Amino acid sequence: MKEDDDKTVFQAPGAPTPPQEPAEDAKPDAPAEEATVFSASPQTPAADATIIAPGASTPAADATVIAIGTPAPAVSAPPPPAPRSGVGVQPGDVLNHIFEVKRFIARGGMGEVFEGINVNSDERVAIKVILPALAADPNVTAMFRKEAQTLVRLSHPALVQYRVLAQEPQLGIFYIVTEFIEGVNLSDVLGKVQPGGQELIGLTRRLAEGLKAAHELGAIHRDIAPDNVLLEGETLARARIVDFGIAKDIDPGSKTIIGDGFAGKLGYVAPEQLGDFGRDVGPWTDVYSLALVILAVARGRGTDMGGSFVDAIDKRRKGVDTSAAPPEIRPVLDRMLVADPAQRLRSMDEVLAALREAEAPSSPKKPVRKPRVPADPSAKPRPALPNIPRPALIGGAGVAGAALLGVIGWIAFGGTGQAPSTPGAVAAKPGAAAAVTIDTVRGAVQAELPRVPCSWLTLTKAEQGAGGFGLGFSGVAGHPANAEAAVFKAVGTQGATIASSDFSGVAPVNASFCAALDGIRPIRSADSPRLSVSQPKYEISTFGEGDYKGQLGARVIMDLVLDGLGEDFALYSIEESGEVSEIVPSKAAFLAAAKAGGSAIEQLPGRERYRISIDGTRSAGWSGILLLTGRGGFDTALLQNTKGPDWQARFADAAGKGGWKAEMVWFKFVDEVPN
């Protein structure tokens, strides 16, 4: 097979050569390569449908629905009805009475892709219909159902958003629905774009961040290739990874449709996918393939690592020539392309660390900061804040199931953490960079952020380069990709081009946070932040003594600056359930607790700055801490009912009367070290 005509191939263990693709009926104007375009939320499924979706509206009779956050029920899907004779999916078909097929887009190794529309919402979607030969295999459908529970949870600007996996009972087909992305394939622009070293570092970082999000949910892609990278708006700065259709669960006890065999494109797969190194497939496998994709962009053409199955193995054993890559990124690619997976960069975290080193090669390496936990598991945890009512998040005697905090990366309003630099990835519009100043871009972004639904975002970086503007963000959002799109649109109205967008510091949050975020965001403080936390995440350990003996939790360290604050304040936690719990009811209660002494509150020298230590019990997860300042009269009962239909209006009224302003910090409890 030719290198430039790579297809996704399945190879059974022990087979000498990959099997040929199934014969496909010709369709007019079908592209030679699979163009994956991937929108709309699923509505009520039709009877007898099997649907796995990110949310659950009420299903119709006999429908099987598996929603995010719930364990998969032990059900056996009915065998699919026989498809109509001689006909597959056609424009005009309506799948499960929800998705109307509009036009054929492309055909690839796993199925056909169509543009469609959600008839209930008029949103455009992409529909990938699985090949009949694959859909007829119960092992295939079982794998897709299992993976769909992961795919619909993926939320990152560098990943396509999966909506639903379903079975159409009348047509007897199995299909996947994703958001529709208007753009081009990375394979279509090889040789047409000529990014420099820093631009390639930015592209690598973006794709690595997206793959990291997938790996953290327990799935690896295994088919990272240029035709599975879509350029939204035809810009490298908005690259999106698509087609997780052959992703493999990281769980070593799980199986896929191909067992331990090969799946992927010969020009971009890792050696272990071809049978070397004990077929040890894991996150490091995507590391290898990502490096080959970046090398192809640098070369302006394919990698020449394919050919026959035997040739592909031999070329990897000889090593990959990275001389075509710019010197800034070549050392990183060399470490990603080590044939032996045990010696290569093993995770996307290691790739991101290597990229940071490449950007600042002369900077001294800083030791990795470990989460602060008690060195002795039997050590008695610090007490909760004395003389202050203990919220659910502070003690074992609190409300069942509620405890302390957590989110990916700490984010204070105006936080001091700076996102790494990612210079431009594509050329700016003619004259745009010169006509628009960085202050104009910054102003457009700051004006847009309060309008982004279900979010708490902070602009951490704004810079101007030869190719356009580079922006970085931290915070949380219900859908980071939508938040990024809103920022691009706002900047575009100023005639400017964003050459790089770093949303790696933006954590996707559950929709249960949205009501609180949307209600509080309008009163966000523009002053210097007063609240911060000591580190991005906290490792869970088992408390040996005290109120939390035998329970899992961690100690959170917060700094609170009261210097110059003449108003009252209160502290609250915002839990993943959407509940808001009181930590400190008032300034008077806090100062009384500090004066009483104890280990929970320490006054730091120099100004009115305090360090607060709180031991909290909870499992891994995220939430935030809210600081409200104003004239007082903070109504905890009001804050605890964020799901009420008129809550936002009542909160806005109370905040207006009290002159309230808000700050938030976010961080995550993790369980990375076995207890």
Side-chain angles (χ1 to χ4, degrees):
M1 61 185 288
K2 295 185 297 181
E3 172 67 25
D4 294 334
D5 194 30
D6 259 332
K7 299 291 186 181
T8 302
V9 181
F10 293 89
Q11 172 67 36
T17 58
Q20 299 298 312
E21 293 181 0
E24 299 169 340
D25 296 331
K27 288 199 177 184
D29 303 321
E33 288 278 69
E34 178 179 351
T36 312
V37 284
F38 291 112
S39 175
S41 299
Q43 305 297 322
T44 304
D48 301 318
T50 300
I51 293 183
I52 302 177
S57 53
T58 303
D62 301 320
T64 300
V65 177
I66 301 177
I68 290 178
T70 60
V75 295
S76 297
R84 58 192 176 194
S85 177
V87 181
V89 174
Q90 299 180 14
D93 287 341
V94 180
L95 310 182
N96 296 98
H97 304 290
I98 302 173
F99 304 107
E100 181 181 353
V101 178
K102 287 297 187 181
R103 68 182 178 95
F104 171 78
I105 296 176
R107 182 185 296 108
M110 295 188 64
E112 296 175 335
V113 182
F114 297 84
E115 180 183 347
I117 189 171
N118 185 317
V119 297
N120 297 304
S121 65
D122 292 331
E123 291 180 291
R124 296 168 76 189
V125 298
I127 303 168
K128 184 162 189 175
V129 180
I130 309 304
L131 286 174
L134 295 176
D137 186 337
N139 292 326
V140 174
T141 56
M143 182 274 286
F144 272 111
R145 288 190 181 95
K146 183 175 186 296
E147 288 187 347
Q149 296 178 64
T150 296
L151 297 179
V152 295
R153 293 168 58 200
L154 293 178
S155 181
H156 190 279
L159 303 177
V160 66
Q161 181 67 54
Y162 283 73
R163 300 304 194 201
V164 65
L165 175 139
Q167 180 180 322
E168 219 295 327
Q170 301 302 318
L171 300 180
I173 62 165
F174 208 59
Y175 65 97
I176 297 171
V177 178
T178 73
E179 62 178 318
F180 189 95
I181 303 297
E182 197 78 65
V184 298
N185 251 308
L186 181 59
S187 60
D188 294 335
V189 301
L190 291 181
K192 299 177 183 178
V193 294
Q194 297 178 331
Q198 291 300 318
E199 290 89 345
L200 287 172
I201 287 176
L203 176 62
T204 308
R205 175 185 293 109
R206 179 177 177 88
L207 298 181
E209 287 283 359
L211 288 168
K212 174 186 174 183
H215 294 170
E216 287 176 344
L217 287 180
I220 53 177
H221 192 290
R222 296 207 305 173
D223 193 20
I224 298 298
D227 67 331
N228 280 336
V229 177
L230 220 112
L231 306 182
E232 187 173 1
E234 301 188 18
T235 170
L236 291 179
R238 299 190 72 182
R240 307 279 293 274
I241 297 171
V242 300
D243 207 352
F244 274 78
I246 58 172
K248 179 181 184 295
D249 196 298
I250 289 176
D251 178 3
S254 66
K255 289 188 176 181
T256 70
I257 57 174
I258 51 174
D260 294 324
F262 164 72
K265 296 177 178 66
L266 281 176
Y268 296 92
V269 295
E272 58 269 24
Q273 290 177 273
L274 301 174
D276 277 356
F277 305 102
R279 302 184 185 274
D280 183 20
V281 174
W284 47 88
T285 304
D286 284 348
V287 168
Y288 191 97
S289 296
L290 176 60
L292 287 180
V293 168
I294 300 303
L295 181 59
V297 177
R299 285 163 46 95
R301 62 184 189 278
T303 59
D304 295 333
M305 294 294 292
S308 71
F309 196 77
V310 174
D311 287 342
I313 295 174
D314 185 57
K315 289 174 180 177
R316 282 155 180 75
R317 290 175 178 174
K318 291 179 179 178
V320 182
D321 179 9
T322 61
S323 59
E328 299 97 317
I329 197 172
R330 184 177 178 185
V332 181
L333 296 180
D334 286 338
R335 296 171 64 188
M336 297 171 70
L337 289 169
V338 175
D340 185 350
Q343 302 301 318
R344 126 184 17 137
L345 295 180
R346 297 280 291 175
S347 69
M348 291 303 162
D349 277 325
E350 292 186 12
V351 171
L352 294 168
L355 291 172
R356 289 191 291 270
E357 293 177 7
E359 286 188 308
S362 60
S363 300
K365 295 183 180 180
K366 296 182 179 180
V368 177
R369 186 174 185 180
K370 300 293 185 182
R372 180 177 174 181
V373 296
D376 182 1
S378 65
K380 184 177 181 179
R382 297 189 182 192
L385 298 178
N387 302 323
I388 294 177
R390 301 203 319 182
L393 74 130
I394 291 183
V399 177
L404 192 66
L405 322 170
V407 111
I408 299 174
W410 71 271
I411 304 111
F413 175 74
T416 57
Q418 295 295 314
S421 174
T422 52
V426 291
K429 296 176 182 178
V436 183
T437 67
I438 189 66
D439 289 338
T440 301
V441 171
R442 187 182 290 108
V445 172
Q446 297 289 19
E448 181 63 25
L449 292 185
R451 295 193 287 264
V452 179
C454 192
S455 72
W456 192 277
L457 301 174
T458 297
L459 178 65
T460 58
K461 180 192 70 176
E463 59 187 22
Q464 186 172 3
F469 295 91
L471 302 176
F473 297 86
S474 63
V476 296
H479 197 318
N482 287 350
E484 185 186 51
V487 170
F488 267 75
K489 183 177 180 180
V491 174
T493 60
Q494 304 298 317
T497 295
I498 298 180
S500 67
S501 172
D502 185 357
F503 260 64
S504 61
V506 178
V509 295
N510 191 285
S512 58
F513 282 104
C514 294
L517 289 172
D518 291 341
I520 298 170
R521 192 173 56 251
I523 64 166
R524 183 170 176 169
S525 173
D527 299 330
S528 298
R530 295 183 175 276
L531 188 65
S532 62
V533 290
S534 62
Q535 58 196 52
K537 56 186 180 181
Y538 294 88
E539 176 68 30
I540 293 171
S541 62
T542 303
F543 290 114
E545 295 181 4
D547 291 341
Y548 318 128
K549 182 177 181 180
Q551 299 184 54
L552 291 176
R555 177 171 300 147
V556 175
I557 310 297
M558 298 185 296
D559 281 1
L560 178 63
V561 178
L562 300 182
D563 187 34
L565 179 64
E567 301 172 310
D568 202 357
F569 75 87
L571 280 172
Y572 300 89
S573 73
I574 302 179
E575 306 298 333
E576 192 165 358
S577 63
E579 296 180 358
V580 178
S581 301
E582 180 184 278
I583 302 175
V584 175
S586 66
K587 184 177 183 180
F590 178 83
L591 294 178
K595 185 177 181 180
S599 58
I601 302 178
E602 174 188 1
Q603 184 167 5
L604 303 178
R607 56 177 178 166
E608 289 186 80
R609 180 180 177 187
Y610 298 85
R611 180 154 294 162
I612 308 169
S613 301
I614 303 178
D615 290 319
T617 59
R618 68 161 298 162
S619 57
W622 15 306
S623 67
I625 297 179
L626 166 67
L627 171 66
L628 284 180
T629 60
R631 288 192 290 274
F634 305 110
D635 187 351
T636 299
L638 170 63
L639 287 166
Q640 288 174 338
N641 189 27
T642 62
K643 296 181 180 180
D646 60 343
W647 177 79
Q648 292 187 19
R650 291 188 293 111
F651 180 81
D653 181 66
K657 292 177 180 178
W660 298 351
K661 294 296 180 183
E663 294 181 28
M664 288 191 194
V665 291
W666 303 84
F667 54 95
K668 187 180 185 182
F669 273 13
V670 298
D671 194 11
E672 297 174 346
V673 179
N675 293 297

